[in-house]
Amino acid sequence: DLFYVSTGESLNASIPYFKNAIELDNKFALAYANATMVLYYLDMFQTEKKYTAEINDYANKAMALEPKSTECLIAKALSYAHVKEYEQAVPYLEQALVYDPKAGLAVHFLTEFYSIYVSNPAKYVEYALKGVKLIELPSYDSAMIGFKYFHLSIALMQAGFVDDALKYMDRSLAYDSNSYFAGY
């Protein structure tokens, strides 16, 4: 639960629980995978990365234990993203979607990576569309839905479909009128 709250405090507070789970069962792949994700998020916007060794170690252990687990594949992808090796991260995220086509976190990162780090407008549109299709999941609030439509709009704009892009940008603002990015 602390991981899903995703504040700096809650992420830090979740670490001892994952470490305890690993101590109790060193073959608990999901604990390694989730610990990887937590540490990735804690380090994501830091100039000096503190958790590189742990992220790599946990991701490798998760993959060794359950190589077909969506969470383990995402963790491995994030271990590459953490050191800015986005092209190596992408195949793990795409494989996660093979095992779980509704893996929203994999779609999220693929959308982000194809829009920013591994420029590919066609793939960006593909994953932005998948993100919008996942909106039906009950865990999305209006800000998240607005963000999904924002990404689709930008992807369509990059692909040359400006009129469609404007339609989805309006939809994005309808869900989250305070969205800094969509408003801009």
Side-chain angles (χ1 to χ4, degrees), residues 112-125:
E112 292 282 323
F113 292 176
Y114 279 126
S115 71
I116 301 169
Y117 307 111
V118 185
S119 183
N120 184 328
K123 288 285 191 178
Y124 185 19
V125 170

Side-chain angles (χ1 to χ4, degrees), residues 52-122:
T52 303
E54 279 180 281
I55 288 170
N56 195 45
D57 181 48
Y58 286 165
N60 286 337
K61 287 178 179 171
M63 282 296 294
L65 292 167
E66 289 191 35
K68 293 183 178 181
S69 160
T70 301
E71 292 85 357
C72 294
L73 287 158
I74 292 169
K76 184 63 180 172
L78 294 182
S79 74
Y80 282 112
H82 186 259
V83 293
K84 299 182 182 347
E85 293 178 3
Y86 301 101
E87 288 185 17
Q88 285 79 10
V90 165
Y92 290 97
L93 295 168
E94 289 178 338
Q95 189 62 41
L97 286 175
V98 169
Y99 296 124
D100 180 5
K102 292 184 178 184
L105 195 54
V107 171
H108 166 77
F109 282 114
L110 283 164
T111 303
E112 292 282 323
F113 292 176
Y114 279 126
S115 71
I116 301 169
Y117 307 111
V118 185
S119 183
N120 184 328

Side-chain angles (χ1 to χ4, degrees), residues 1-8 10-12 14 18 30 33-34 37-38 41 71 74 105 139 141 144:
D1 287 344
L2 292 168
F3 173 31
Y4 292 113
V5 172
S6 291
T7 64
S10 70
L11 291 172
N12 277 308
S14 73
F18 291 120
L30 189 57
N34 283 329
M37 291 183 231
V38 166
Y41 282 125
E71 292 85 357
I74 292 169
L105 195 54
S139 60
D141 61 15
M144 180 60 75

